Amino acid sequence: MIIIYTGMIDKDAISKFVESRLEETGYFLVEVKISGDNDIEVVVDSPEGVDIDRCVELSRQIEAEFDRDREDYSLTVGSAGLTEPFRVRRQYEMHVGDDVEVLAGDGKKYRGTLDSVGDGEFTVLVTEKVREEGAKKPKMVQVPHTFSFADIKYTKYLLQL
């Protein structure tokens, strides 16, 4: 993939370049942020974790493609933090079966196991007390809660110590 650099820092051009360099590596792009001061932050992730050597290599590739003599910028390439909210669907997919915390749009928090990920939504199994019809006492059961990606404030991995 050849990208023609025009001298202006273009978030889409950086994103496409990074994605082309990550193809077939197991890594994927989570986010590219560019501040008004031309501070570029590239965040990547992988189901196996992110190796510092891969970040250094990717940083060098970006610097070779986007000439600092044309546009002065600072560059940081790093991994998505373990406790940072998920940003892209692949993060959800790689955490199916893990415990997560979801902050719904209404402000209610749900903690449970990420069960499935669909096109515009995901499902979390939450252990709740439920009184089944005809039962005298409530019992703990797994209740599925489905959320639209657009209707939540965040989802993040629930680190259990």
Side-chain angles (χ1 to χ4, degrees):
M1 173 181 217
I2 297 176
I3 297 174
I4 298 173
Y5 184 61
T6 62
M8 293 178 58
I9 296 177
D10 180 356
K11 182 177 177 178
D12 289 335
I14 292 172
S15 296
K16 287 178 185 175
F17 178 79
V18 169
E19 287 171 345
S20 75
R21 293 304 181 260
L22 296 178
E23 285 178 5
E24 300 177 19
T25 66
Y27 286 78
F28 58 90
L29 178 63
V30 172
E31 184 172 39
V32 173
K33 293 188 231 175
I34 302 176
S35 75
D37 295 332
N38 287 344
D39 296 326
I40 303 169
E41 181 181 1
V42 176
V43 180
V44 297
D45 207 347
S46 164
E48 290 78 36
V50 177
D51 182 79
I52 187 73
D53 293 333
R54 183 67 186 120
C55 290
V56 170
E57 178 186 343
L58 185 57
S59 179
R60 288 183 181 145
Q61 291 172 340
I62 294 168
E63 289 173 344
E65 181 71 19
F66 297 91
D67 187 1
R68 285 190 182 197
D69 290 337
R70 291 186 181 173
E71 186 75 32
D72 187 33
Y73 63 86
S74 68
L75 175 65
T76 304
V77 176
S79 66
L82 188 58
T83 59
E84 292 294 312
F86 300 165
R87 302 270 182 240
V88 296
R89 180 178 170 163
R90 279 190 69 186
Q91 289 179 296
Y92 285 85
E93 291 169 348
M94 73 182 212
H95 285 287
V96 168
D98 291 338
D99 290 336
V100 295
E101 178 180 275
V102 178
L103 180 58
D106 63 3
K108 185 175 178 185
K109 281 187 184 178
Y110 297 84
R111 291 183 176 175
T113 303
L114 183 56
D115 185 54
S116 64
V117 180
D119 284 335
E121 62 189 28
F122 62 98
T123 301
V124 175
L125 298 176
V126 179
T127 303
E128 298 177 357
K129 277 186 179 180
V130 174
R131 184 184 311 252
E132 294 179 347
E133 201 172 312
K136 292 183 179 185
K137 294 183 180 180
K139 64 181 186 176
M140 301 301 281
V141 296
Q142 294 281 312
V143 177
H145 291 273
T146 300
F147 302 93
S148 165
F149 289 117
D151 294 336
I152 60 160
K153 294 185 178 180
Y154 70 73
T155 301
K156 60 185 178 180
Y157 177 74
L158 191 57
L159 186 59
Q160 302 286 340
L161 298 176

